[in-house]
Amino acid sequence: DIQMTQSPSSVSASVGDRVTITCRASQGIGSWLVWYQQRPGKAPKLLIYAASSLQSGVPSRFSGSGSGTDFTLTIRSLQPEDFATYYCQQANSFPLTFGGGTKVEIK
Amino acid sequence: QVQLQASGPGLVKPSQTLSLTCTVSGGSISSGGYFWSWIRHLPGKGLEWVGYIFDSGTTSYNPSLKSRITMSVDTSENQFSLKLTSVTAADTAVYYCARLPLSWNEGFDPWGQGTLVTVSS
């Protein structure tokens, strides 16, 4: 199975800050990387697929980049509704696997 | 828009079978083009893909659970189901159902609200 490692596990930030989350795959996955946002008590929501393609309806302050084994999710100008946990998921091969999550907390 | 809702008992005894159903609304399971999936969120361990079923009944399961899983689909009721046998406390989790397109590298969307299943005597 492909292992997905996210860092940091948590980050404290203020409204308006730029936040970057990293996801590393244990082997190359091309651009087959998906990002989700999960607010407390809610189901995960698809943000980005194919490493950098923004899902319809997702604000443009979210962006993704990377290929191979190293990927990043960037939130430009953090908004109050962005305080949540973010997960990456490899979409290269089954079994599909997820990172451990990064919690974005209010500073 | 398509919505999914998982349902089932919130408490299951060890060694028994966990049974969950996902009801799809706003679209037909039989429309094709999607894998209907289960994912679970294990406390302190993150998200784990459990398996998927196609409307034809074709399945794919996570090898770590394969010996204990059965998934089925009822197109007349627009539902799909999960059975997990011989459960232990390690199966305690929030179980989500979600839709995965045939171009499965586009990710799970949407997800159902999730249902907490606790394994305890």
Side-chain angles (χ1 to χ4, degrees):
Chain A
D1 299 2
I2 298 175
Q3 307 303 316
M4 305 301 294
T5 303
Q6 283 183 240
S7 60
S9 57
S10 66
V11 57
S12 294
S14 301
V15 171
D17 284 354
R18 177 188 180 100
V19 171
T20 298
I21 298 168
T22 297
C23 180
R24 175 165 289 177
S26 61
Q27 64 189 72
I29 59 171
S31 295
W32 302 125
L33 194 282
V34 183
W35 289 100
Y36 301 91
Q37 175 194 66
Q38 186 173 29
R39 296 187 177 119
K42 301 293 187 182
K45 171 189 170 184
L46 175 62
L47 294 178
I48 289 171
Y49 62 94
S52 60
S53 295
L54 206 62
Q55 178 72 347
S56 175
V58 174
S60 59
R61 63 180 179 274
F62 290 92
S63 64
S65 65
S67 66
T69 59
D70 294 311
F71 301 85
T72 58
L73 171 70
T74 299
I75 311 171
R76 172 180 49 85
S77 188
L78 203 64
Q79 297 301 300
E81 60 268 29
D82 301 336
F83 291 96
T85 301
Y86 294 85
Y87 295 94
C88 62
Q89 175 231 314
Q90 64 83 13
N92 181 73
S93 61
F94 285 89
L96 304 177
T97 49
F98 295 81
T102 296
K103 187 174 184 179
V104 178
E105 300 173 300
I106 301 173
K107 183 183 287 185
Chain B
Q1 66 192 38
V2 171
Q3 293 184 310
L4 294 83
Q5 179 65 55
S7 60
L11 181 63
V12 181
K13 289 182 167 51
S15 80
Q16 293 191 342
T17 297
L18 178 161
S19 296
L20 297 174
T21 296
C22 183
T23 301
V24 179
S25 58
S28 172
I29 276 185
S30 301
S31 62
Y34 298 101
F35 297 116
W36 302 96
S37 306
W38 290 97
I39 299 148
R40 65 183 186 176
H41 195 166
L42 301 160
K45 284 193 172 184
L47 293 161
E48 179 180 50
W49 172 71
V50 173
Y52 70 65
I53 187 165
F54 195 55
D55 60 356
S56 63
T58 300
T59 57
S60 177
Y61 302 144
N62 192 316
S64 69
L65 300 167
K66 190 173 183 177
S67 63
R68 299 194 289 132
I69 292 178
T70 302
M71 294 179 65
S72 59
V73 62
D74 185 340
T75 54
S76 66
E77 294 291 333
N78 225 31
Q79 295 176 332
F80 61 103
S81 299
L82 167 70
K83 290 188 187 300
L84 181 65
T85 63
S86 304
V87 297
T88 70
D91 295 308
T92 293
V94 176
Y95 286 76
Y96 295 98
C97 50
R99 187 180 71 171
L100 182 69
L102 288 186
S103 52
W104 44 269
N105 34 49
E106 293 180 5
F108 296 97
D109 180 63
W111 297 54
Q113 183 59 21
T115 187
L116 173 62
V117 179
T118 301
V119 179
S120 175
S121 56

